[in-house]
């Protein structure tokens, strides 16, 4: 999947097109734990749109936790989830084969 993603992504002929030559398809070492970190995008606008209070609106916290539970339910290889601010980190077990 990642290989296809890297091959099809376009940079719209921008001045940063040269960066593509530095991209590589990475692989996770077998029999190793790994952590996937997902960072929020446009989180400030999202919080303003929904009227969340800073820094810890209980509705936002519950929403983030619910999203993390959904991710964990979709990937049985996740053994740990940790959230902070607008990001979540997911720890995968050694035998995970989701990234091959």
């Amino acid at each position: 999947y990642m290989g296809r993603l890297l091959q099809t992504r376009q940079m719209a002929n921008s001045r940063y097109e040269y960066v593509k030559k530095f991209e590589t398809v990475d692989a996770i070492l077998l029999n190793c734990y790994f952590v996937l970190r997902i960072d929020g995008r446009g989180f400030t606008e999202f919080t303003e749109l929904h009227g969340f209070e800073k820094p810890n609106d209980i509705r936002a916290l519950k929403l983030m936790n619910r999203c993390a539970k959904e991710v964990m339910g979709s990937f049985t290889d996740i053994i740990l989830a940790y959230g902070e601010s607008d990001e979540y980190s997911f720890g995968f077990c050694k035998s995970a084969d989701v990234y091959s």
Side-chain angles (χ1 to χ4, degrees), residues 43-58:
F43 201 70
T44 300
E45 293 84 7
F46 182 80
T47 57
E48 290 172 359
L49 176 68
H50 295 284
F52 294 147
E53 295 180 23
K54 293 183 180 180
N56 292 316
D57 189 299
I58 191 67

Side-chain angles (χ1 to χ4, degrees), residues 2 6 24-30 32 34 99-100:
M2 287 301 292
L6 290 175
T24 61
V25 177
D26 298 321
I28 302 294
L29 295 174
L30 295 176
C32 292
F34 68 94
Y99 191 77
S100 54

Side-chain angles (χ1 to χ4, degrees), residues 37-86:
R37 178 179 161 260
I38 301 175
D39 196 355
R41 180 172 180 250
F43 201 70
T44 300
E45 293 84 7
F46 182 80
T47 57
E48 290 172 359
L49 176 68
H50 295 284
F52 294 147
E53 295 180 23
K54 293 183 180 180
N56 292 316
D57 189 299
I58 191 67
R59 297 173 299 142
L61 295 172
K62 286 182 177 182
L63 176 62
M64 293 284 288
N65 288 337
R66 177 60 192 254
C67 291
K69 285 181 182 180
E70 291 294 323
V71 171
M72 290 186 77
S74 298
F75 297 93
T76 57
D77 294 328
I78 297 175
I79 56 174
L80 174 74
Y82 175 79
E84 181 177 351
S85 185
D86 68 336

Side-chain angles (χ1 to χ4, degrees), residues 10-27:
Q10 300 281 328
M11 294 191 88
N13 297 321
S14 75
R15 64 183 177 149
Y16 302 107
E17 188 77 25
Y18 74 94
V19 174
K20 288 178 70 175
K21 69 181 175 184
F22 298 105
E23 294 178 350
T24 61
V25 177
D26 298 321

